[in-house]
Amino acid sequence: MNRLPLQAVLFDMDGTLVDTERLWWEAVEQVAGRALTEADRPEVLGRPVEYTAAWLAAITGTGAADLADTLHREFADRVRTGIVPRPGALALLDALAREGVPTALVTASPRAVADTVLDALGADRFAVSVTADDTPHTKPAPDPYLAACRALGVDPAVCVAVEDTETGVASAEAAGCVVLAVPSLAPIEAAPGRTVLASLVGVTVDRLRSLLPYRLRVMTWNLWYGGTKVRDHRAKQLKVIAETDVDVVGLQETYGGAAGELAEALGWHHHSAGPNLGIISRLPITAVLGDPDVAFYGAAGARIAVGDQEVEVWTAHLDAEHYGPYESEPLAHEDVRTGQMRDTLSRISGAAPVVLVGDFNSPSHLDRPDVAWPVTKAAEEAGLGDSFRQARPDAVRDPGHTWSPVHAHPEPQDRIDFVLHRGLRVLHSRTYVSGTPRTWPDVEDNDWPSDHAAVITTFSLGSGPGTV
């Protein structure tokens, strides 16, 4: 079972790493000239100085700029004399440093205050620091966390943000981070993608890793007559699967036995359907879906256990006759393929998450907007996203051709193999061909045992209370 790798940990400052929430509360009370109450918390905790100054200005009639300057001064004076690390904070920072996990400080405080705290904690503990002065919008907007991830060169989905306020949690979650909430003054509820602990005491790097979602890497692959056009095809197929580190493969043109033979060699699970379709999975298959006696063209599905959740995975092969770009009337035969697609979609449950892969033998309307290719539009209308185009939206720069690595010009080069989904987050998607295949008919000794490129998409799948 693969979780996504922990690439960075992003720490809020006030109330998370250091006990400054109390100091900030006291500074606001001093400037307000009164004791603050529970009703004041949303205007004070987790807010930038300018926000709280504007709130005080509306109450007192004093200029917001003057109030901001006074708040800055009162808070900075308290930080210099009264900063106290939160329990467990320094131990966790040291553990992350030992394991080489980058850290960032992400705060709604101004740079002057953050630098004072960094001097006290040790600025070298952090690879990056982002303050209220560094982004157009600060918390609860996602800008600070997105800026930190950009500076570190990491994806927010593989980062844990550690926060102590609802405002900070909202910022981190909007950026797409997994959140560990350690409330300081106000409670925070657990939620999907969010874990709440009383403190950082005893939190280890492995505990942070365990908060990340599971990875699900799915490949679609037309085996081309089961691979039999290429010498030692089974060994070459196994090598591809090992090298790509995929979790699930939706197969077409299995010629009956390929799915079972590959699964047996890998020690994986499999589902074979009809003479042409199969699914192999390193993760347990909990149910098989669709007609097991499906014809050569059609679809087959399986339910896959991923951690404490299940994903419905379908593989489809649509009619290959009268391929649209060959025809003077490109859409003349698309009603056949569209009917097969609609039949496939009718078999897929309404629940998420779902992955539909396959050789559709039709281009995409996302790649060739001059023709309203109905097969991919039908899938889109059913709520299925095209993972490759979500990851690579520029069809000119990233055409993603899967047909064909062995059939050269003037054969049309097109993207006709797809990994579609509903209810998952796309982290990465690419086409894959091993080696440099020779073109037909000189294919027998190719390393790549197919006439299609494969498509591989890596998804994140939530764990714990809910999904990412």
Side-chain angles (χ1 to χ4, degrees):
M1 184 67 60
N2 291 331
R3 287 189 185 270
L4 294 168
L6 178 63
Q7 292 190 357
V9 181
L10 317 173
F11 288 94
D12 171 59
M13 184 179 75
D14 301 324
T16 300
L17 286 177
V18 291
D19 189 9
T20 52
E21 295 287 9
R22 172 182 53 83
L23 303 180
W24 173 241
W25 189 266
E26 292 172 358
V28 176
E29 285 186 324
Q30 176 67 29
V31 175
R34 65 171 177 84
L36 299 178
T37 69
E38 187 70 25
D40 300 319
R41 288 184 186 276
E43 314 302 331
V44 177
L45 292 185
R47 296 295 190 179
V49 172
E50 289 70 21
Y51 180 97
T52 301
W55 169 67
L56 287 174
I59 295 172
T60 64
T62 306
D66 290 339
L67 285 169
D69 289 341
T70 304
L71 284 169
H72 275 304
R73 185 171 58 254
E74 290 288 341
F75 183 52
D77 287 346
R78 285 168 171 76
V79 167
R80 291 188 190 97
T81 59
I83 189 170
V84 177
R86 295 284 290 170
L90 296 184
L92 180 55
L93 286 168
D94 290 342
L96 289 164
R98 285 194 299 272
E99 297 204 23
V101 179
T103 58
L105 187 75
V106 184
T107 177
S109 293
R111 171 60 62 184
V113 173
D115 285 346
T116 301
V117 173
L118 284 168
D119 287 342
L121 291 177
D124 59 344
R125 293 180 183 274
F126 302 94
V128 169
S129 61
V130 177
T131 74
D133 300 332
D134 300 325
T135 57
H137 305 285
T138 190
K139 303 174 186 180
D143 302 39
Y145 280 101
L146 293 175
C149 290
R150 283 194 300 270
L152 291 169
V154 297
D155 189 313
V158 286
C159 298
V160 174
V162 186
E163 274 284 356
D164 75 308
T165 66
E166 289 186 349
T167 301
V169 166
S171 174
E173 291 181 342
C177 300
V178 175
V179 171
L180 171 59
V182 186
S184 56
L185 294 178
I188 298 173
E189 296 297 321
R194 179 195 310 167
T195 299
V196 181
L197 297 177
S199 81
L200 293 177
V201 174
V203 174
T204 64
V205 180
D206 282 343
R207 179 68 189 273
L208 294 180
R209 290 191 179 104
S210 75
L211 304 182
L212 290 169
Y214 290 109
R215 181 202 82 174
L216 182 65
R217 183 169 292 158
V218 180
M219 178 163 74
T220 186
W221 198 8
N222 183 310
L223 296 182
W224 192 24
Y225 296 96
T228 56
K229 297 295 183 182
V230 176
R231 195 193 316 270
D232 298 325
H233 59 279
R234 194 69 79 228
K236 292 174 179 177
Q237 291 165 348
L238 290 167
K239 185 172 183 288
V240 166
I241 293 167
E243 289 177 345
T244 54
D245 191 30
V246 292
D247 300 306
V248 179
V249 186
L251 300 169
Q252 307 90 44
E253 291 196 34
T254 61
Y255 275 52
E261 291 176 18
L262 288 169
E264 182 178 4
L266 292 163
W268 284 18
H269 310 270
H270 85 281
H271 169 47
S272 296
N276 182 42
L277 296 169
I279 295 171
I280 61 173
S281 172
R282 75 164 81 234
L283 306 171
I285 292 176
T286 60
V288 296
L289 308 168
D291 180 3
D293 298 318
V294 62
F296 188 84
Y297 294 118
R303 196 167 292 124
I304 310 292
V306 187
D308 54 2
Q309 298 187 61
E310 291 186 330
V311 178
E312 202 171 302
V313 178
W314 288 80
T315 180
H317 193 193
L318 307 186
D319 195 291
E321 294 299 316
H322 303 290
Y323 177 52
Y326 292 162
E327 304 297 314
S328 57
E329 294 292 334
L331 300 182
H333 196 67
E334 291 305 301
D335 58 333
V336 174
R337 283 182 279 272
T338 305
Q340 292 168 340
M341 172 57 78
R342 294 194 187 283
D343 178 71
T344 297
L345 295 170
S346 72
R347 297 173 185 273
I348 296 174
S349 75
V354 170
V355 181
L356 168 62
V357 311
D359 169 11
F360 295 173
N361 280 307
S362 175
S364 171
H365 68 287
L366 300 176
D367 301 345
R368 291 170 167 251
D370 54 317
V371 177
W373 299 101
V375 169
T376 53
K377 284 189 71 68
E380 183 179 79
E381 290 164 2
L384 294 171
D386 183 334
S387 66
F388 186 87
R389 274 290 158 255
Q390 288 174 340
R392 301 173 184 271
D394 190 333
V396 175
R397 186 179 63 187
D398 291 309
H401 294 154
T402 61
W403 180 263
S404 164
V406 300
H407 297 291
H409 185 79
E411 181 74 17
Q413 298 296 301
D414 264 314
R415 189 169 70 99
I416 64 173
D417 300 80
F418 300 88
V419 179
L420 310 182
H421 77 99
R422 182 173 65 231
L424 295 167
R425 179 174 179 177
V426 177
L427 298 181
H428 183 265
S429 188
R430 60 173 174 151
T431 60
Y432 185 84
V433 173
S434 59
T436 305
R438 288 171 290 278
T439 56
W440 180 262
D442 301 318
V443 299
E444 187 177 47
D445 292 317
N446 279 350
D447 289 331
W448 183 246
S450 177
D451 61 344
H452 288 244
V455 183
I456 303 170
T457 297
T458 303
F459 297 103
S460 68
L461 182 74
S463 59
T467 59
V468 173

